[in-house]
Amino acid sequence: MDVVEVIDKKIGEVRTESLDISIGELVSLHENKELIIRPDFQRLFRWSTEQRSRLIESMLLELPIPSIFVIEREDGVFELIDGLQRTSSLIQFVSANAIQLDPLVLEGCDLVPELNGARFDDLPLTLRLRLKRSSLRTVVIKRQSSQFLRYEMFKRLNTGGTKLSEQDIRNVNARMIGDVGTAFYDFIEQCSEDVNFLGCTELLSAAAVEARAREELVLRFFAVKNFRQGFKGSITDWLDHFMETILIEGAPFDFVAERAVFDGTFELLNEKFGPYAFVKYRAGKPMGGVAPAYFEAVTMGAYENSLALSALSNDEAVARLSAAVASDPFRAATGPGANSLPKLNQRIELIRQAFE
């Protein structure tokens, strides 16, 4: 099959339709649960009040607005996958109760400053009707489309953007696969809420937690345990590929067995090191926050040598860990070029040996 035939075949696997949906219809669809906006997909309101207000101003001035993307579920309901900030801002202004938020009061409108301080009900009827009748170009990814291409479409829409973290995108990607993806990501979220895991990662910054850093660390744990051979170059690609082997290629993942390993490993790490399990040490003293390159090494070193680590007193365990991560060989394995399989194996082995 030549490249033209391959491309033609792929084109046939994704079906889309473009619609012009009025803001009034958008509000109605959401109120009737015919348009689902999941905060899990894209966190609500990373836009400031000024950004939301200027969107309203642009709509009233009939300036062009980028399209939004929805996916058509099997039951015909639309699920928003791109354009959350625009959609939620418009719904909040026209009908704040629909998303259980306070009414939006416009501020920061610079083209029509007379709008500042106004709520939707404060506008003249002419402007209220103009806004409700204004349309938003909506691209519908039809339910007949290939699951994989639906997955890829969201991934490509958001990769490289600033509004979503890489783990935000993985969350949506998993759920777009269907029940198997939802079950997998729910499992990741449940692990991220484990009390021992929280104890080991409490030094993560608030911004990192907001960007789903804990969920990413959970995924990294299972990736380094089950998919170490795929580790090379880009951490993002490695984690994406690991998840895709399970959700798309059908690689086995035993939830019960994997959870037992996770719980046992982090119970041990929390007992021995608490919040200082994955930090740098200087002169035997912990410093800084969670270092992701240390995370794989310490978790796998503990997992692969759990009996030896269990036998150590807490003080001895900390002394051995601090000496290992401060050593020249470990630093060399976490410095330039650390994202390679040989260096990953080297730093895991150094920690494993430290617990002997």
Side-chain angles (χ1 to χ4, degrees):
M1 185 181 294
D2 66 23
V3 67
V4 175
E5 291 175 315
V6 171
I7 289 174
D8 286 345
K9 184 175 184 297
K10 288 293 183 187
I11 290 173
E13 291 178 11
V14 61
R15 296 180 58 185
T16 63
E17 179 182 10
S18 294
L19 305 173
D20 288 322
I21 299 180
S22 73
I23 306 307
E25 288 178 299
L26 209 63
V27 172
S28 178
L29 286 169
H30 183 61
E31 289 178 335
N32 293 325
K33 303 189 185 312
E34 296 170 14
L35 171 67
I36 305 300
I37 301 175
R38 288 180 181 267
D40 268 350
F41 271 21
Q42 301 173 6
R43 306 293 178 82
L44 279 174
F45 293 142
R46 290 184 177 177
W47 273 14
S48 65
T49 300
E50 288 83 359
Q51 287 174 301
R52 287 176 262 162
S53 299
R54 286 172 183 160
L55 173 70
I56 306 302
E57 181 184 44
S58 296
M59 294 293 293
L60 289 170
L61 291 172
E62 300 181 6
L63 299 179
I65 303 297
S67 300
I68 65 171
F69 287 73
V70 300
I71 189 166
E72 183 185 31
R73 302 194 319 194
E74 290 301 320
D75 58 6
V77 171
F78 289 161
E79 194 147 16
L80 184 71
I81 63 168
D82 189 70
L84 172 91
Q85 305 301 327
R86 298 186 295 280
T87 306
S88 298
S89 298
L90 291 165
I91 293 176
Q92 183 194 17
F93 186 64
V94 174
S95 180
N97 289 336
I99 48 178
Q100 300 178 331
L101 290 174
D102 293 332
L104 175 61
V105 180
L106 301 180
E107 63 178 65
C109 297
D110 49 3
L111 297 178
V112 187
E114 291 81 0
L115 290 171
N116 292 323
R119 301 183 184 193
F120 179 73
D121 291 339
D122 299 328
L123 296 178
L125 177 61
T126 301
L127 294 183
R128 296 204 305 270
L129 292 177
R130 178 183 299 177
L131 184 61
K132 291 181 74 173
R133 292 169 181 168
S134 298
S135 61
L136 201 58
R137 176 52 60 97
T138 304
V139 178
V140 181
I141 304 166
K142 305 292 284 183
R143 63 179 179 272
Q144 297 90 344
S145 301
S146 154
Q147 277 192 335
F148 175 71
L149 288 180
R150 283 160 45 179
Y151 169 96
E152 278 296 319
M153 184 172 294
F154 182 85
K155 188 174 174 181
R156 296 183 187 204
L157 279 171
N158 287 279
T159 300
T162 57
K163 63 187 175 188
L164 297 180
S165 71
E166 290 159 352
Q167 196 62 28
D168 278 321
I169 294 171
R170 290 188 194 102
N171 172 33
V172 184
N173 285 345
R175 298 181 189 282
M176 286 184 68
I177 293 296
D179 290 345
V180 64
T182 298
F184 179 79
Y185 206 89
D186 284 348
F187 174 79
I188 296 296
E189 286 186 324
Q190 290 160 13
C191 290
S192 75
E193 295 163 0
D194 173 74
V195 63
N196 290 302
F197 176 79
L198 291 174
C200 292
T201 58
E202 69 176 60
L203 294 180
L204 284 169
S205 68
V209 172
E210 171 68 15
R212 299 182 183 269
R214 285 200 172 104
E215 292 160 33
E216 181 169 297
L217 288 176
V218 171
L219 189 64
R220 287 174 80 134
F221 173 80
F222 291 115
V224 73
K225 175 182 173 293
N226 300 303
F227 194 61
R228 195 184 306 180
Q229 73 280 6
F231 185 90
K232 56 182 178 181
S234 166
I235 297 292
T236 297
D237 291 345
W238 174 52
L239 296 180
D240 287 347
H241 192 191
F242 168 60
M243 201 169 76
E244 288 163 8
T245 61
I246 296 169
L247 302 186
I248 296 174
E249 299 172 20
F253 189 86
D254 185 327
F255 289 105
V256 175
E258 296 292 349
R259 183 61 195 257
V261 169
F262 180 89
D263 288 349
T265 301
F266 282 95
E267 182 179 4
L268 179 59
L269 289 170
N270 194 32
E271 175 192 340
K272 299 298 182 184
F273 310 114
Y276 306 114
F278 313 120
V279 303
K280 298 178 181 179
Y281 282 82
R282 180 177 294 167
K285 301 296 183 183
M287 55 179 290
V290 173
Y294 289 28
F295 178 83
E296 287 95 354
V298 176
T299 55
M300 282 301 101
Y303 166 64
E304 293 179 0
N305 211 353
S306 59
L307 290 177
L309 176 57
S310 298
L312 299 176
S313 69
N314 289 6
D315 288 345
E316 178 66 14
V318 170
R320 293 193 183 197
L321 177 64
S322 64
V325 300
S327 68
D328 290 339
F330 190 86
R331 288 179 176 176
T334 55
N339 289 348
S340 67
L341 184 56
K343 287 201 171 183
L344 173 63
N345 286 330
Q346 182 182 357
R347 55 185 182 263
I348 290 173
E349 180 61 16
L350 288 167
I351 299 299
R352 193 193 68 78
Q353 289 178 1
F355 299 146
E356 290 275 329

